[in-house]
Each structure stands twice: as structure tokens, then as C-alpha cells.
Amino acid sequence: MIATPYLLYLGHSNDEIGIKTSRGLAVFRPEICVGEFRHDDCKLTLDLPRMNFEEAVAVGAKTLVLGIANAGGKLGEDLIADAAAALEAGLDIASGLHQRLKDEPRLVDLAGRLGRELHDVRDPRPDIPVGNGKKRAGKRLLTVGTDCSVGKMYTTLCLARALEKRGVAADFRATGQTGILIAGSGVPLDAVVADFISGAIEQISPDRADHGWDLIEGQGSLFHPSFAGVSTGLLHGAQPDAIVLCHDPVRTHMRGLPHFGLPSLTDCLAANLQVARLTNPAVRAVGIALNTSSLSRAEAEALCARTADTMGLPCSDPYSMGVEAILDTLLGTPEKA
Amino acid sequence: MIATPYLLYLGHSNDEIGIKTSRGLAVFRPEICVGEFRHDDCKLTLDLPRMNFEEAVAVGAKTLVLGIANAGGKLGEDLIADAAAALEAGLDIASGLHQRLKDEPRLVDLAGRLGRELHDVRDPRPDIPVGNGKKRAGKRLLTVGTDCSVGKMYTTLCLARALEKRGVAADFRATGQTGILIAGSGVPLDAVVADFISGAIEQISPDRADHGWDLIEGQGSLFHPSFAGVSTGLLHGAQPDAIVLCHDPVRTHMRGLPHFGLPSLTDCLAANLQVARLTNPAVRAVGIALNTSSLSRAEAEALCARTADTMGLPCSDPYSMGVEAILDTLLGTPEKA
């Protein structure tokens, strides 16, 4: 287990999407986040107290979470130097980057000498089976997206909390590093070996008999040419009864690929339902989730209304507007007029 | 490099599909295969001389190839005991199984003591990039399938040889362990980490400017719930100009999954073209390849004719009938009446 509370690392980041792990923790587990660490050239903030490593240790922080992401997930020299300084100050390190802390001899040596721990949350467990596509007991919802980083984890967490508030048992099943840090378990799906993608999801969402829901965090997009294989295996392993399509309305191209445009919501939903039908022919769409954080409230509400009308599905920004209409559709309660 | 010639291992196998690596080598590289090793309960043969390890060493064999496959790819106790005996007799070992020789301390110790080599051909190179979906120069053909193990590698190899015979430059790009052992290079795609599937294919099939073709070996099936993620990333990374759909007409269910039926050729081709269009909107189907090894010649020819008629594409068994009509469609030469 990773020792808490956390100091959240922003470093030199100036890309809001690149700090989504740190921000996710600050939003969904504020009680275990004592502060943020950022260099002077970082103009982003999580609205947590800014601290250096010594200050964080003084207020009780146990672990520095390297909660930043970048395509390919490399550990740069600046990151290694900061991690080394944090170890020296008395912190353990947790990282969700592809490149592992354990593969950096300088950090391994230093942690060993100081008696500190290095946690690579992208290391999958060793006993993941090949998927078998067999129907499992229980109900499952999967979030899917037009692109990477469009709000799938937030939407999934909001749905889990809202279901619990209605008295319906619901478990968030994490598939990415932020989700794992939030939930305390899950699978780092993008680090799983390709033949085991669907099997990994079958493993984290086994038979359930309590009439509750597994809310499974989606990854990538069927329309992202770098990562669609992950999204495909996730759909097959999840065998979802319901999917919610997530989208960022101001995204102009696929994340990291300026030469790739986004799919339409209609095409994206149809493709996801088609792929999902292989392991659950009864899959249905129950809602659209928009990340409207860059729009005014009036713009956001108008866009959600238009989208709901076009798509014939409830549409909201789960974080700012809730997910009640989506839950009505999911649970079969008639929507209010 | 793996030392040749090879002794091909069948062990206790009694599943024709399970020995496809050994058979692929015997068929496509007979000049480097001196014999086969099988136990008395193995009723299969490659039509190579049956030898024990000492006899193989006596006729010059350098490496025992564990050319058998099983879902999950475990190294059983019997396999380890045989590999140990082969090391003692003087052979190196090459394996394409998921579970690595290098993770078996008994084999590692023994090989170290005897000065022998262990080759895990499923270990991908460490520098695979994330895919970017950018259009590359040159022409590419990808084989796709209704299921795993329906003849994609054979078809790809047959197409490569037939193109070369027509004087067209053609390179076979291997994506599985048998193909890698045959070609001498390639990527063991099912062992690549999920985020890098499409990037791995971009890496093995880079820009080419000689008007030749890359013939890329397909893996899995979009309709196989265990492995469709691999097939999806492969389609996106290959950005194929042309695809050939491979099928085994006597297969009654998806390989390893008795509860899953096969897709129709029409549905399967449509789904593959749809996925491929993300990175190459100009992709087209140029043929159907049937594995007719379990049919009579007359049945096979009738089935190919019917299939060609239904699908509106040339159809043959590449291994027994050649691929000339498929090449005519691929290269734009009018088909003969």
C-alpha cells in the first residue's frame, strides 16, 4: 500500500491535461492531499497549498505522487532530480508514468540507502488471464470517449457516487493510474501485455450477485490511432450492459495528433455499440457526458440540451450538473418531462 | 541471432493448430530444419525425421525450437524437463511461448553452466514508440481473419513469394513468433504492451520508396473477444492499402471459445475495412484466402468459386492454389475471364 497523505507533483507542467492524475486526486480524494509541488514556470495550480518537499514532510506528507502524464510516459532528467530531492527530504515516491521508477538506478539506489519506497502504479499484477468473453453475473456500465482525456474517469466516479446516493450498490473499477490511486485497486490497462487486455477487465469486474453495478473506467478511444486497441479490448472485457459516451466539445483534434480530427458523437457511439455487442448483444447507450469546463454555464446548458436532442439521450456535464437524468435512463425510472 | 539448423519440438501435442510454429518452419524454411522431436503419445508429424536430442546433435542441429502454442502460453513441467534434456544434449533453446525461458531458474542455471543460449522470441525490442497514425510512404497489405489461426501467416508468405516472382519488391513483416523465426525479424505483437500496439507496426513497416509492398502478417480477429484489441491496433498501425480476409471454412467456433460463433465473411470484412479507414481511408479488400486443407480438391475449388461469387472478390487457398487472382486485383491487372 502507498503511504498517505500525498504531496501532488506538477513540476514544470503547463498543460492542463498533462496534470490530470494530480488534479483527479485533489478533486476526488482531497482528504489525503496536503499540498502541491510546482516550479516557478508552472502556471497551473490545484488550489492546494504550494510546498517544497521539506515543508510537505513537516505537515505530514508521506508520498510524492508524480501525477503528471505525457505521451510515451518518459521520466525526464528534471523529474528524476526532483524525485531524488523528495527522497532526500523524507518522502516515498509514487508514479503512474510508463517508464518505471524501478528502472532508474539513481532513484533505486537512493531509495534503498534512505529506506524509502518507490511505487510504480502502472505495474500490472502478474496473474492476469486471457479473456474468455463468457457472460458474467451482475450489471456493468463502461464509459467510452471520442478521444483520450475527455472525462471518462470523472464521469465514472460521478456515476458511482450518484448511484450510491440512490441506495444502489456501485463499485468504481479503475483502469488507469489516477483511478488506481483514487480507488486503491484496479488495473493499469495501458501497461498490460496486448494479449491480456480483455482478460484484465474480466479479472477486475468478476461475477457480482448483489443487484449492484460495476462502473468501469474507460480508456482511449476507438478513434484514436495510437490507443484504439486498448479501447477495443476494454469494451470486450467489460461486456457492458450500458455505455456512457464522454466528449470534450472544445477539442479540435485527437490528443497528441494534430493531423487527426475527432469523430462525430453519432459515429463514435455507433462504433462503440457495435464493438460491445460481441460480448453483450444487449448493450445500450444511456447518456452523453460533456466536459464543459471551458464554457460558460449558459453555453454549457445550451450545448447539453442540443446534444440530448440530437442524440436522443440524456446529456450533462457530470461534474458540474450531476448525472441524474443518465441514472434515470440507466435504472429505467421514467425521465421527468 | 538464433543458431541453425533447428530441431522442431512437438512434445505431447495432439492439436494441429497447437503445433503451427513448428509446422510453419517445416513448410517455409525446410532447409534449416533437420528433424522433429515428439513423444510416443504425439500422433502428429511434420514429415521430418523423428529424432531424440542426441541424434539431432549428431546430424548438426544447433537449436531446439519449442514450436508449440497454447492459450496463455505456459511452460509446463514436461516442457521444462524436455528443454533441460535438450540443453544437456548440446542444443540451445528457442521459444515463442508467453512464459519466458529466462523466467525458469532451472533452465537459466543449466544453460549458464553448459554455455548454451535461451531465446525468447516473444520479447519485444525495448524502443517501440507510441503510434502516431501519420501516413507513411509506400504500399502495404495486411491479412485479417475471421478467427485466430486461420492462415494469415501462410497467406502473407504466399503473397510475398508470388509478388517477388512477378518482379515486384515485397517484404514479409512478421508479427508472431513463427513469422519472426521464418523472417529473422519482426515484432511479437501479442507480447507488446497495450499502449504500443499500433506503434510497433509503424516501427516494423516504415516509409518505403521503391514501389514495392510490405506484406504484414495479421493477428487475431476483430471478432475474437480475447484478442480483438491486438487486431485493432494492428489495423491502425499497418494503415493498409489492401487487406486480404483469411478464413477456415470448417471452423465451428472461435478458437478456444466453444461458446462463440464465427462472424460471416461479409460482416468481418466490413468491420475490418471500417477500422482500417481510420488511418487509411483508401483501404480496399483485394481477396479472400480460405484454408481448405480439410476439404477435397473438388470441394475446395467449388467453395472458393462460390465465395468469390458471393463476396465479389478473388478467392483461393493460397497454399494449394496460389494467389494469382488476388495479385491481379492488388496490382490492377485485369483478371482473366
Side-chain angles (χ1 to χ4, degrees):
Chain A
M1 284 305 300
I2 304 172
T4 58
Y6 297 153
L7 174 67
L8 303 178
Y9 183 83
L10 301 182
H12 297 281
S13 302
N14 271 305
D15 171 7
E16 182 59 44
I17 292 172
I19 64 164
K20 69 174 184 170
T21 296
S22 287
R23 185 170 298 282
L25 281 162
V27 169
F28 283 98
R29 297 298 303 277
E31 72 280 11
I32 59 167
C33 301
V34 299
E36 65 188 35
F37 175 90
R38 55 187 164 86
H39 289 288
D40 289 338
D41 62 351
C42 170
K43 301 306 176 203
L44 304 170
T45 178
L46 306 170
D47 296 319
L48 291 173
R50 181 179 178 188
M51 303 179 181
N52 63 32
F53 304 130
E54 292 72 18
E55 292 163 343
V57 170
V59 298
K62 302 289 188 214
T63 301
L64 174 69
V65 177
L66 300 181
I68 61 171
N70 47 345
K74 304 280 182 202
L75 280 176
E77 256 315 303
D78 53 341
L79 207 58
I80 294 170
D82 284 342
L87 287 169
E88 296 274 10
L91 294 165
D92 293 345
I93 313 287
S95 164
L97 294 159
H98 257 301
Q99 197 177 330
R100 303 297 193 272
L101 298 170
K102 67 166 193 260
D103 293 331
E104 282 300 325
R106 181 172 159 200
L107 297 179
V108 172
D109 291 351
L110 193 58
R113 223 167 42 238
L114 297 169
R116 310 260 178 273
E117 292 196 34
L118 303 178
H119 300 278
D120 287 301
V121 301
R122 282 209 195 200
D123 278 341
R125 50 192 282 186
D127 63 342
I128 297 175
V130 169
N132 60 43
K134 282 187 191 154
K135 183 73 184 151
R136 308 193 292 287
K139 290 174 285 190
R140 289 169 188 82
L141 179 147
L142 173 68
T143 48
V144 298
T146 50
D147 193 2
C148 304
S149 307
V150 291
K152 291 183 285 285
M153 186 191 74
Y154 272 47
T155 299
T156 314
L157 285 161
C158 289
L159 287 163
R161 291 190 170 187
L163 272 174
E164 282 169 355
K165 274 195 194 150
R166 288 200 187 189
V168 178
D171 289 289
F172 170 68
R173 303 298 186 193
T175 60
Q177 67 273 18
T178 308
I180 294 169
L181 286 161
I182 289 171
S185 67
V187 62
L189 194 62
D190 54 3
V192 167
V193 167
D195 251 12
F196 300 89
I197 303 171
S198 62
I201 303 302
E202 294 180 1
Q203 185 179 52
I204 64 160
S205 179
D207 283 303
R208 73 178 294 166
D210 65 350
H211 303 289
W213 283 82
D214 274 7
L215 288 302
I216 304 172
E217 178 193 6
Q219 292 293 337
S221 166
L222 291 183
F223 291 82
H224 197 297
S226 311
F227 308 119
V230 175
S231 309
T232 299
L234 181 40
L235 275 159
H236 289 161
Q239 54 181 229
D241 302 283
I243 63 176
V244 171
L245 175 60
C246 305
H247 178 61
D248 179 346
V250 298
R251 191 72 56 91
T252 54
H253 58 76
M254 297 302 278
R255 175 149 170 79
L257 303 177
H259 50 299
F260 262 87
L262 267 75
S264 73
L265 292 177
T266 304
D267 287 349
C268 189
L269 190 58
N272 276 280
L273 288 169
Q274 183 186 329
V275 171
R277 280 188 198 107
L278 183 71
T279 54
N280 191 345
V283 63
R284 67 198 172 107
V286 297
I288 312 287
L290 299 182
N291 175 353
T292 64
S293 54
S294 54
L295 305 180
S296 72
R297 181 74 188 195
E299 287 171 329
E301 288 181 349
L303 180 62
C304 287
R306 273 204 312 278
T307 304
D309 194 47
T310 310
M311 300 294 294
L313 288 168
C315 175
S316 66
D317 183 323
Y319 188 60
S320 62
M321 304 172 188
V323 291
E324 294 309 314
I326 295 175
L327 288 197
D328 288 344
T329 299
L330 179 71
L331 301 175
T333 312
E335 279 182 71
K336 290 164 195 89
Chain B
M1 283 306 299
I2 304 172
T4 58
Y6 298 152
L7 174 66
L8 302 178
Y9 183 83
L10 302 181
H12 298 281
S13 302
N14 271 303
D15 170 6
E16 182 60 43
I17 291 173
I19 63 163
K20 69 174 184 169
T21 296
S22 286
R23 187 171 295 282
L25 281 162
V27 168
F28 283 99
R29 296 297 304 275
E31 72 281 11
I32 58 168
C33 301
V34 299
E36 65 188 36
F37 174 91
R38 54 188 165 87
H39 289 288
D40 289 338
D41 62 351
C42 170
K43 302 305 177 204
L44 304 171
T45 177
L46 306 171
D47 297 318
L48 291 173
R50 183 180 176 187
M51 305 179 181
N52 63 31
F53 303 130
E54 291 74 17
E55 290 164 343
V57 170
V59 298
K62 302 290 188 212
T63 301
L64 175 68
V65 177
L66 300 180
I68 61 172
N70 47 344
K74 303 282 183 203
L75 278 178
E77 256 315 303
D78 52 342
L79 207 59
I80 294 171
D82 284 341
L87 287 170
E88 296 274 10
L91 294 165
D92 292 347
I93 313 287
S95 164
L97 294 158
H98 258 302
Q99 196 176 330
R100 302 298 193 271
L101 298 170
K102 68 166 192 262
D103 293 332
E104 283 299 326
R106 182 172 157 202
L107 297 180
V108 172
D109 291 351
L110 193 58
R113 226 170 35 241
L114 298 169
R116 310 259 177 272
E117 291 197 36
L118 302 177
H119 300 278
D120 287 301
V121 300
R122 283 210 194 199
D123 278 340
R125 52 193 281 186
D127 63 341
I128 297 175
V130 170
N132 61 42
K134 280 187 192 155
K135 183 72 185 152
R136 308 192 291 289
K139 290 175 284 189
R140 289 168 189 82
L141 180 148
L142 173 69
T143 47
V144 299
T146 51
D147 193 1
C148 304
S149 307
V150 292
K152 291 185 284 287
M153 186 192 74
Y154 273 47
T155 299
T156 314
L157 285 162
C158 289
L159 287 164
R161 291 190 171 189
L163 272 173
E164 282 169 355
K165 273 195 196 151
R166 289 201 186 188
V168 179
D171 289 288
F172 170 69
R173 303 299 187 192
T175 60
Q177 68 275 18
T178 308
I180 294 169
L181 285 162
I182 289 171
S185 67
V187 62
L189 194 62
D190 54 4
V192 166
V193 167
D195 252 12
F196 299 89
I197 303 171
S198 62
I201 303 302
E202 295 180 1
Q203 186 179 50
I204 64 160
S205 179
D207 283 303
R208 74 179 293 166
D210 65 350
H211 304 290
W213 284 82
D214 275 7
L215 287 302
I216 304 172
E217 179 193 5
Q219 292 293 336
S221 166
L222 290 183
F223 290 83
H224 198 297
S226 311
F227 309 120
V230 175
S231 309
T232 300
L234 180 41
L235 274 159
H236 289 161
Q239 54 181 232
D241 301 284
I243 64 176
V244 170
L245 175 60
C246 304
H247 178 60
D248 178 347
V250 298
R251 192 71 59 88
T252 55
H253 58 75
M254 296 302 278
R255 174 149 170 81
L257 303 177
H259 50 299
F260 261 88
L262 266 75
S264 72
L265 292 177
T266 304
D267 287 350
C268 189
L269 190 58
N272 275 282
L273 288 169
Q274 184 185 328
V275 170
R277 278 187 199 108
L278 184 70
T279 54
N280 191 345
V283 62
R284 65 195 174 109
V286 297
I288 312 287
L290 299 182
N291 174 353
T292 63
S293 54
S294 54
L295 304 181
S296 72
R297 181 74 188 196
E299 287 172 328
E301 288 181 350
L303 180 63
C304 286
R306 276 203 311 279
T307 305
D309 194 47
T310 311
M311 301 294 294
L313 287 169
C315 175
S316 65
D317 183 323
Y319 188 60
S320 62
M321 305 172 188
V323 291
E324 294 309 314
I326 296 175
L327 287 198
D328 288 344
T329 301
L330 179 70
L331 300 175
T333 311
E335 279 182 71
K336 290 165 195 88

